Amino acid sequence: MLSLVICDVPLKESLQVEPSAVLAWYDCYKSLQCARLIVPLNYSDPQGATAAIALARIPSSIPVESPDYRGPVLLNPGGPGGSGVDFVVSIGETIGTILGPQFDVIGFDPRGIARSTPRISFFDTPAERALWGTAPGIIGNGSGVDGLASEWARAQILGKLALAHDHNVLAHMNTENTARDMLQIVQAHKREKLQYWGFSYGTVLGATFATIFPDKVERLVIDGVVDAENYYATLWNNNLLDTDKTLQTFFDGCAQAGPDVCPFYAPTPEQISQNLTALYTAIKTQPVPVFTESGYGLVDYARLQGTIFLSLYSPYESFLPLAKGLADLASGDGRAFFNISAAPIFECSCDGPDPSTDKATEAILGIICTDGQAVPRDLESTKKFYEQFSNISRWADVWAPLHISCSKVGWPNSIPKPRFQGPFVANTSFPLLLVGNTADPVAPLWAAKKMSSGFPGSVVLTQDSPGHCSISGPSVCTFGHVRDYFVDGKLPPVDEICPVISTPFQNQTVPGGVMGRSSFASEPVSPEDREILDAIQQIHSARLFATAHTRRFGGSGLL
């Protein structure tokens, strides 16, 4: 349920940059450059109030005046609410290696998010936010009865908090306006067309841009593709079509890896699945208390379900820790499992960060509830939705709160909806490249194929791996196609399926610094592929840290 933000970056540094109507870059974060671009808050009133969009870039090593310079590539890591600045600070250099030295790599915090102002916030202080909790929860203990009503009731309070803290800005905090902001960023670079790589929710943003501005597309990759029409309908009920398929790769991989590698091993995938079901049953009746030096709490049904679900996003980093945690939990020791998703105890500090720069995790609701169609107001409609969703997916208790959080009585009626909510049909000035994994837990490959059908000439590139978005798995093939697309405008063949160079339970460093089987590392590779291999290693090293870190701090988005 997380965006692809890699690490938590201090907010103040880029907030110290003065906003300007033209791009003025300043050195920041040791080796990057930062800017804050002034854009209209309301594009229907371009001379009225303004917003400031925070950007960070890794400049191209090629001079701007050179014919080889290719301009900026904008990145969005997902969410909604993911920080593009954090993304570039964390792995921007690695993304630059994949794309090539011809490009500036630019991340931006979408309007309302992190360093971009005005910010979405429903609370006066970080303490108030921490005490209430803002992220959509997991419904009940698996029965879904009491938890469903509680989640619905909490949505009503969050809606009132949103209205109480809205200073006539929430109506303008939407994906349509963020797409317009991207065009402003492009034009501030004195260019006319967008180059973009968006992940997860970033695929909704990319598809929105391509539909509104089809003649402004130079290169556009959407990776981990969401059904944007389902998103704008505020349904969120077809994201999980491949979630069980992702979990099955855990069962299959553990059984194949053997007891020396996978701590939750059983001789067959079916037995591993049965053992997990037995663990669910035991935890529902008797949660496991955990008390450690770093924290304390319960491993109950909600933590078990949520932690397993989040692990499906990044199998190459998460499956081994998950297997260890499940094995220990089955023997009565919940510490390892608890620590996978444990959050630090909140502490107030007089010397802490300025509350105005605290990351507001409720920003995701500010965007999705403003973007989407109104959700029925009554609890009975909520119960009916949940019942129907539960028939589609056993993970409905994790995902349905997204829909419930936007219930009409909870989300203020006074906040108007954006003009654009689809359909997603456009003949773009350059064909789109869509990327999907064969077992993505929240962005099924089906959605990529559906979205591609609305954009003539677009191609779906399939990566044969579990996990969310292409960067969750190590594929030289995929990244090579992405590079070819940006550099040469070359699309992969239709129905191309890219392999990965290892499985989650083989994800280890071998001689030569390459992740995967040593037999692969010994094969001769071109200098270009060697660059991509090194980039894969760097991404997965960064994400190994991020998996625990992002979860500990609650993340900043859902997709």
Side-chain angles (χ1 to χ4, degrees), residues 237-250:
N237 62 358
N238 65 8
N239 298 85
L240 309 184
L241 298 179
D242 285 347
T243 312
D244 284 342
K245 187 176 181 181
T246 316
L247 181 60
Q248 186 64 43
T249 67
F250 173 81

Side-chain angles (χ1 to χ4, degrees), residues 141-187:
N141 63 355
S143 66
V145 179
D146 294 338
L148 182 63
S150 296
E151 194 68 30
W152 178 87
R154 282 177 59 87
Q156 318 319 311
I157 297 175
L158 274 175
K160 295 183 186 302
L161 285 167
L163 185 60
H165 290 80
D166 181 26
H167 303 289
N168 299 316
V169 300
L170 270 176
H172 310 296
M173 300 299 165
N174 55 59
T175 299
E176 176 185 347
N177 281 342
T178 299
R180 298 182 185 280
D181 293 341
M182 290 201 297
L183 184 59
Q184 293 279 309
I185 295 169
V186 169
Q187 292 174 342

Side-chain angles (χ1 to χ4, degrees), residues 76-144:
N76 181 280
S83 165
V85 171
D86 286 1
F87 193 56
V88 167
V89 171
S90 300
I91 62 167
E93 289 187 6
T94 305
I95 296 294
T97 298
I98 294 169
L99 297 177
Q102 307 95 318
F103 302 97
D104 300 325
V105 176
I106 294 183
F108 66 99
D109 289 350
R111 55 172 52 211
I113 304 303
R115 306 157 187 81
S116 292
T117 55
R119 300 173 66 245
I120 299 171
S121 176
F122 301 170
F123 300 91
D124 294 325
T125 67
E128 185 184 355
R129 177 178 296 111
L131 288 170
W132 172 254
T134 58
I138 294 175
I139 294 172
N141 63 355
S143 66

